[in-house]
Structures are given as structure tokens and as C-alpha cells.
Amino acid sequence: MTLDEILAQIKLSEKIVVLTHESPDGDAIGSSLAMKLMLEQLGKQADVIIPEYSRLFGFLPSADQIKESSEITNYDLAISVDCADLKRLAKNEYFENAKRTIVIDHHGSNKMYGDLNYVNPVSPACCEVLVGMFGYFNIDITKELGTCLVTGIITDTGGFRHDGVNPETFEFTAELMRKGVNIPRIYKKVLRTITKANFLLQKRVIDRMELLADGQITYTYITKQDEEEVNAEPGDHEGLVEIGRDIEGVQVSIFVRQKDENTYKISLRSSEKVNASDVCLMFGGGGHPRAAGASIQGDLDQVKEKIVKEVEKALNAGK
Ligand code: 5GP
Ligand code: MN
């Protein structure tokens, strides 16, 4: 059983590093810190390396111990959480130079790039995969550990409303509540609190939003200049893609964010008809059926044309 092998590898290792995907969301950060706290219960110290993340997650237990980089280059064990693809793993050189590697994830598009891979594509959050794993390891779910885990569950399920939410999601959340974890407070902090820069970006994104294909597709974007003008910090673009999908009749929301001169990051959210992950895979990206992303080269007009065309095709095929 992979879980027994994972536990054996952890026990064998002294220098351990935990890594996650670039532009980390609540599930990525929550999974990383939960993993660190779990390893401490097993008597292991681990470095969590996340070069940039939203300060809205700064309240998470042990967030103050997150490192931007490390002097250690040859870890005994590298653990990747919530990341489907080695390319997308932030600071992946630590993974590549580690003696042994483990991948823990919930993306159906996971490339299984670890020595050991524990991937459950049915799980709505990587943190929920960890709940099962920690149960198997007989880990005590403390208030701190629970806070990290439920943060990932709340953010990746959009507040218990996305596909994949299941009875266990609520059972685990209820159990944490009994232990004194303040679920409404975490919910407000991670889903309902936005930075001022995010608010200013929302105004631009809404103002520019186009309704295409008879109102079934929304398209909008932000440039580097927009982010500079509102003094955006890491994570301030989070959630902008969700706005379009909430409009009645919209099947796919497309959000484009400029990364550099000629590279744009695409985010898709879909309602029912389109598999967003399949569309993004065509551009070398991936994700989940209802939430996926990719990077595309070109200028903004070219990128818009490419992605809108593929989404329209997928929409017509899904009719
Ligand atoms: P977001 O749109 O929030 O950046 O990402 C939505 C989902 O798609 C996440 O699960 C994320 O991991 C995945 N995703 C986003 N961009 C990429 C990408 O470039 N490559 C891959 N493989 N997955 C991505
Ligand atoms: Mn996730």
C-alpha cells in the first residue's frame, strides 16, 4: 500500500522539504503547513518552501516558518502537495535534487512525477486527501493541524459548493468544530476577505468583461500594468476568474493574466458542459473538470483568440 511506503520513506529521512505549486492558493498553503505539522508529530523537522503567497494566509499556524528558499540543496526527501506537474512546482530544483520524492495530490491531470505518488482525483481538495492519510497514520488532528486542513477544504470547494464535496467533507469539518476550530471565522478570512488591490482589480475585470457565444462564455483580463497601478501583491488576482461563472447562463468563465511581455496565464472555470481541464491540456496546462489553467504565448489579442476558439469548440461539442 502506497501509504505504508510513504510512512516508511518519511521515517527513513532526516532532511525533508515540502513544496507546492506556484501562485499557491489556500489548498496549496494549507496542505504544505498541514504536512509540516504532521511530520513534527512523527518527530521530523521539515522545511516548507513557498517563494510567494498572499498575506491573507499569514494567519495559518506555522505560516511564519515558511521559507523562500533554503541553503540545503540535497534533501533526503521532497514532498510535493497539490501540484499536478513538476513544471508548475515552485522551487522544483529542491525536488529534482532530493534523494527520494513523494507526490500527494487530487488533480486528475497529475503526471505522477514522484517516486511514490498518492493521488485521489475524486477528492475536492488536497487537504482532504491528507485527512485520509493522517487518519491512516493515526495522527492527532490538533486545532492547528485542523485549521490548515479546513482552510484547504474551504478554499478549494469554494465554500462547500463545488463538485466533489461529499459527506466526509462535512463530517471532518463538524469534527473540527467540536474540537474548537472556529469554522465561520476561517471561512470569512479565506473566502470573504479581499485585499484593497483585489477589489480594485475586480472593478477593472468586471468593467472589461465580455459576454460571448450568446452569453455562455465570459472573457476578461488584467495586464501587468493593471497590477502595478493597484499595487497588487502576490495572490491579489485570486478569485477574479470566479466572477464570470456566477452569471446566469454562463458555461465557461475565461480570465487571462499577463505574466510577462509575451506570456499570459489562462484560468478557466466551467459550469457543466465543458471540461476545463481538457481545454487547458491542449495548451500544456491542466487542472480539474470545473477549474483549470495553462500558460499561452503571444500578444493579448492572439491569446484571446486562441483560448476563446478552443472554449467555443468544446462548448459546441458538449451540446
Ligand atoms: P487557477 O485558475 O486557480 O490558477 O487554477 C485552477 C486549477 O488548475 C488548479 O487546480 C491548478 O492547479 C490548475 N492549473 C492552473 N494552471 C495550471 C497550469 O499551467 N498547468 C497545470 N497542469 N495545472 C494548472
Ligand atoms: Mn487543490
Side-chain angles (χ1 to χ4, degrees), residues 118-134:
Y118 188 68
V119 178
N120 181 359
V122 178
S123 211
C126 186
C127 277
E128 196 166 307
V129 178
L130 295 182
V131 170
M133 170 183 274
F134 294 177

Side-chain angles (χ1 to χ4, degrees), residues 21-23 25 82-85 87-88 106-107 109 111 156 237-239 241-242 255 259 265-269 280-281 283-288 291-295:
H21 62 80
E22 59 190 22
S23 293
D25 49 24
D82 195 37
C83 182
D85 191 335
K87 260 194 324 197
R88 232 175 100 69
H106 72 125
H107 292 89
S109 59
K111 296 229 166 94
D156 255 30
H237 63 282
E238 286 292 330
V241 63
E242 306 287 344
F255 168 62
K259 267 168 74 173
K265 173 75 210 298
I266 311 300
S267 281
L268 293 191
R269 296 293 182 271
C280 288
L281 276 168
F283 297 103
H288 309 281
S295 288

Side-chain angles (χ1 to χ4, degrees), residues 238-274:
E238 286 292 330
L240 297 174
V241 63
E242 306 287 344
I243 299 170
R245 181 169 58 176
D246 287 341
I247 303 168
E248 187 181 18
V250 169
Q251 285 295 332
V252 182
S253 159
I254 306 171
F255 168 62
V256 173
R257 176 178 177 235
Q258 187 175 27
K259 267 168 74 173
D260 56 45
E261 191 60 34
N262 231 27
T263 313
Y264 289 83
K265 173 75 210 298
I266 311 300
S267 281
L268 293 191
R269 296 293 182 271
S270 84
S271 288
E272 266 170 25
K273 290 187 191 159
V274 172

Side-chain angles (χ1 to χ4, degrees), residues 14 17 19 27 43 47 52 59 84 91 94 109 138 220-221 236 243 245 252 259 263-264 283-284 300 311 319:
E14 281 313 315
V17 64
L19 304 166
D27 193 30
D47 289 335
E52 277 189 337
F59 78 97
K91 296 281 175 189
Y94 295 106
S109 59
N138 276 320
T220 189
Y221 66 92
D236 278 338
I243 299 170
R245 181 169 58 176
V252 182
K259 267 168 74 173
T263 313
Y264 289 83
F283 297 103
L300 188 57
V311 169
K319 269 183 188 155

